[in-house]
Amino acid sequence: MALTPPPPAAIVIAGGRSTRFGSDKLLAEVGGRTLLQRTMEAVAGCATVVLVSATNETVPRGVVTVSEFPRWGGPCAGIAAGVAALPAEASETLIVSADLARPRNAIAALHAIDAGVLADGDGNVQWLLARVPVAALRTQLAELDATGGTAGRPARALIGHLGLPIVPAHRDAVADIDELHDLERLKERH
Protein backbone atom coordinates (compact mmCIF):
# COMPACT_ATOMS: atom_id res chain seq x y z
CA MET A 1 0.00 0.00 0.00
CA ALA A 2 1.48 3.35 -1.08
CA LEU A 3 1.65 6.03 1.55
CA THR A 4 0.00 9.33 0.70
CA PRO A 5 2.41 12.20 1.28
CA PRO A 6 1.24 14.87 3.71
CA PRO A 7 -0.25 17.99 2.15
CA PRO A 8 2.10 20.93 1.68
CA ALA A 9 1.99 24.05 3.80
CA ALA A 10 0.78 27.31 2.24
CA ILE A 11 2.08 30.84 2.51
CA VAL A 12 -0.55 33.36 1.39
CA ILE A 13 0.92 36.73 0.42
CA ALA A 14 -1.58 39.50 1.17
CA GLY A 15 0.63 42.43 2.09
CA GLY A 16 0.37 44.78 -0.88
CA ARG A 17 -1.00 48.31 -0.87
CA SER A 18 -3.50 47.79 -3.74
CA THR A 19 -2.42 51.09 -5.32
CA ARG A 20 -3.62 50.21 -8.84
CA PHE A 21 -6.94 49.00 -7.45
CA GLY A 22 -7.62 52.18 -5.45
CA SER A 23 -8.66 50.54 -2.16
CA ASP A 24 -7.90 47.32 -0.27
CA LYS A 25 -8.71 44.86 -3.04
CA LEU A 26 -8.61 41.88 -0.72
CA LEU A 27 -11.83 43.16 0.89
CA ALA A 28 -13.60 43.36 -2.48
CA GLU A 29 -16.40 40.82 -2.71
CA VAL A 30 -17.27 38.26 -5.35
CA GLY A 31 -20.32 36.12 -4.69
CA GLY A 32 -20.63 37.40 -1.12
CA ARG A 33 -17.06 36.53 -0.10
CA THR A 34 -13.96 38.72 -0.14
CA LEU A 35 -10.99 37.89 -2.34
CA LEU A 36 -9.05 37.08 0.83
CA GLN A 37 -11.78 34.74 2.13
CA ARG A 38 -11.92 32.94 -1.21
CA THR A 39 -8.16 32.36 -1.18
CA MET A 40 -8.13 31.23 2.45
CA GLU A 41 -10.90 28.72 1.67
CA ALA A 42 -8.88 27.38 -1.25
CA VAL A 43 -5.79 26.67 0.91
CA ALA A 44 -7.74 25.30 3.87
CA GLY A 45 -6.62 21.71 3.15
CA CYS A 46 -2.93 22.55 3.50
CA ALA A 47 -0.97 21.24 6.47
CA THR A 48 -0.14 24.71 7.82
CA VAL A 49 -1.44 28.01 6.48
CA VAL A 50 0.52 31.20 7.03
CA LEU A 51 -1.11 34.50 6.04
CA VAL A 52 1.35 37.35 5.48
CA SER A 53 -0.78 40.44 6.01
CA ALA A 54 -1.55 43.29 8.36
CA THR A 55 -5.27 42.80 7.83
CA ASN A 56 -7.74 43.23 10.64
CA GLU A 57 -10.06 40.77 8.94
CA THR A 58 -10.99 37.64 10.83
CA VAL A 59 -9.02 34.68 9.53
CA PRO A 60 -9.93 31.02 9.93
CA ARG A 61 -8.96 29.28 13.15
CA GLY A 62 -5.49 27.75 13.02
CA VAL A 63 -4.11 30.18 10.42
CA VAL A 64 -0.82 31.77 11.47
CA THR A 65 -0.81 35.50 10.67
CA VAL A 66 2.46 37.41 10.30
CA SER A 67 3.62 40.63 8.67
CA GLU A 68 6.65 41.14 6.51
CA PHE A 69 9.55 43.18 7.84
CA PRO A 70 9.83 45.98 7.15
CA ARG A 71 6.13 46.63 6.64
CA TRP A 72 5.49 47.15 2.91
CA GLY A 73 8.81 45.39 2.30
CA GLY A 74 7.45 43.65 -0.77
CA PRO A 75 6.70 40.08 -1.81
CA CYS A 76 10.19 38.70 -1.16
CA ALA A 77 10.07 40.04 2.41
CA GLY A 78 6.56 38.58 2.70
CA ILE A 79 7.73 35.14 1.64
CA ALA A 80 10.61 35.39 4.13
CA ALA A 81 8.16 36.17 6.95
CA GLY A 82 5.98 33.25 5.87
CA VAL A 83 8.88 30.81 5.76
CA ALA A 84 10.00 31.92 9.24
CA ALA A 85 6.51 31.05 10.56
CA LEU A 86 6.43 27.54 9.07
CA PRO A 87 6.96 24.62 11.44
CA ALA A 88 10.43 23.07 11.32
CA GLU A 89 9.06 19.83 9.86
CA ALA A 90 7.45 21.51 6.82
CA SER A 91 9.11 20.05 3.74
CA GLU A 92 7.23 21.88 0.99
CA THR A 93 4.98 24.89 0.71
CA LEU A 94 2.70 26.57 -1.75
CA ILE A 95 3.38 30.26 -2.34
CA VAL A 96 0.04 31.88 -3.15
CA SER A 97 -1.01 35.43 -3.90
CA ALA A 98 -4.19 36.43 -2.06
CA ASP A 99 -5.65 38.36 -5.01
CA LEU A 100 -6.41 35.42 -7.28
CA ALA A 101 -9.47 35.54 -9.50
CA ARG A 102 -10.09 31.80 -9.15
CA PRO A 103 -8.08 30.57 -6.17
CA ARG A 104 -9.48 27.01 -6.22
CA ASN A 105 -8.20 26.59 -9.78
CA ALA A 106 -4.78 27.91 -8.78
CA ILE A 107 -4.49 25.61 -5.78
CA ALA A 108 -5.63 22.60 -7.86
CA ALA A 109 -2.93 23.42 -10.44
CA LEU A 110 -0.29 23.63 -7.69
CA HIS A 111 -1.42 20.35 -6.13
CA ALA A 112 -1.09 18.70 -9.55
CA ILE A 113 2.69 19.33 -9.73
CA ASP A 114 5.60 18.11 -7.61
CA ALA A 115 7.36 21.49 -7.65
CA GLY A 116 7.37 24.50 -9.93
CA VAL A 117 6.07 27.94 -10.75
CA LEU A 118 2.89 28.50 -12.76
CA ALA A 119 2.89 30.58 -15.95
CA ASP A 120 0.10 31.71 -18.23
CA GLY A 121 -0.30 30.63 -21.85
CA ASP A 122 1.92 33.51 -23.03
CA GLY A 123 4.77 32.38 -20.77
CA ASN A 124 4.30 35.12 -18.16
CA VAL A 125 5.60 33.57 -14.94
CA GLN A 126 3.47 34.08 -11.83
CA TRP A 127 6.15 34.09 -9.13
CA LEU A 128 3.52 34.12 -6.37
CA LEU A 129 2.02 30.84 -7.58
CA ALA A 130 4.60 28.19 -6.78
CA ARG A 131 5.09 24.83 -5.10
CA VAL A 132 8.50 24.94 -3.45
CA PRO A 133 10.75 22.77 -1.25
CA VAL A 134 11.10 24.61 2.07
CA ALA A 135 14.79 23.69 2.47
CA ALA A 136 15.58 25.38 -0.86
CA LEU A 137 13.66 28.47 0.23
CA ARG A 138 15.57 28.66 3.50
CA THR A 139 18.91 28.30 1.71
CA GLN A 140 18.09 31.04 -0.81
CA LEU A 141 16.77 33.31 1.95
CA ALA A 142 20.06 32.93 3.81
CA GLU A 143 21.90 33.95 0.64
CA LEU A 144 19.66 37.00 0.22
CA ASP A 145 20.18 37.96 3.86
CA ALA A 146 23.94 37.86 3.26
CA THR A 147 23.61 40.19 0.25
CA GLY A 148 21.33 42.93 1.53
CA GLY A 149 18.18 41.16 2.71
CA THR A 150 14.75 40.71 1.18
CA ALA A 151 13.21 44.18 1.60
CA GLY A 152 12.25 45.78 -1.67
CA ARG A 153 13.06 42.71 -3.75
CA PRO A 154 10.52 41.03 -6.01
CA ALA A 155 9.43 37.42 -5.50
CA ARG A 156 11.48 36.54 -8.59
CA ALA A 157 14.67 37.35 -6.62
CA LEU A 158 13.85 34.42 -4.36
CA ILE A 159 11.68 31.96 -6.27
CA GLY A 160 13.45 32.60 -9.59
CA HIS A 161 16.77 31.36 -8.19
CA LEU A 162 15.54 27.95 -7.03
CA GLY A 163 15.79 26.20 -10.39
CA LEU A 164 12.13 25.22 -10.37
CA PRO A 165 10.37 24.22 -13.57
CA ILE A 166 8.02 26.76 -15.14
CA VAL A 167 4.67 25.01 -15.57
CA PRO A 168 2.09 26.26 -18.09
CA ALA A 169 -1.35 26.63 -16.51
CA HIS A 170 -4.81 27.58 -17.70
CA ARG A 171 -5.51 31.31 -17.48
CA ASP A 172 -8.20 30.67 -14.84
CA ALA A 173 -5.50 29.26 -12.56
CA VAL A 174 -3.14 32.22 -12.84
CA ALA A 175 -5.43 35.25 -13.26
CA ASP A 176 -5.28 37.81 -10.47
CA ILE A 177 -7.08 41.02 -9.59
CA ASP A 178 -4.87 44.09 -10.02
CA GLU A 179 -7.33 46.75 -11.08
CA LEU A 180 -11.02 47.46 -10.62
CA HIS A 181 -11.85 46.33 -14.17
CA ASP A 182 -10.31 42.90 -13.36
CA LEU A 183 -12.80 42.57 -10.51
CA GLU A 184 -15.72 43.68 -12.67
CA ARG A 185 -14.85 41.07 -15.32
CA LEU A 186 -14.65 38.38 -12.64
CA LYS A 187 -18.04 39.36 -11.25
CA GLU A 188 -19.55 39.18 -14.75
CA ARG A 189 -18.20 35.64 -15.22
CA HIS A 190 -19.03 34.49 -11.67
Side-chain angles (χ1 to χ4, degrees), residues 51-54 65-72 77-78 81-82:
L51 173 63
V52 182
S53 175
T65 304
V66 297
S67 182
E68 75 272 19
F69 183 81
R71 183 72 185 120
W72 310 118

Side-chain angles (χ1 to χ4, degrees), residues 29-43:
E29 290 191 7
V30 176
R33 296 181 340 273
T34 67
L35 293 178
L36 180 59
Q37 287 170 331
R38 295 171 81 232
T39 300
M40 297 308 290
E41 289 167 5
V43 298

Side-chain angles (χ1 to χ4, degrees), residues 133-154:
V134 173
L137 273 174
R138 288 187 171 128
T139 298
Q140 186 62 29
L141 282 167
E143 289 182 25
L144 287 175
D145 283 342
T147 59
T150 58
R153 294 190 186 195

Side-chain angles (χ1 to χ4, degrees), residues 175-190:
D176 60 3
I177 305 297
D178 288 325
E179 298 178 7
L180 194 53
H181 67 86
D182 298 327
L183 180 68
E184 295 307 320
R185 268 199 312 261
L186 177 61
K187 285 181 176 181
E188 288 171 8
R189 293 175 62 195
H190 185 67

Side-chain angles (χ1 to χ4, degrees), residues 6 11 14 17 30 39 42 75 81 94 97 102 105 119 123 125 128 131 145 155 167-169 176 188:
I11 299 171
R17 293 183 181 164
V30 176
T39 300
L94 307 180
S97 175
R102 301 197 182 283
N105 295 8
V125 179
L128 291 178
R131 186 170 183 158
D145 283 342
V167 181
D176 60 3
E188 288 171 8

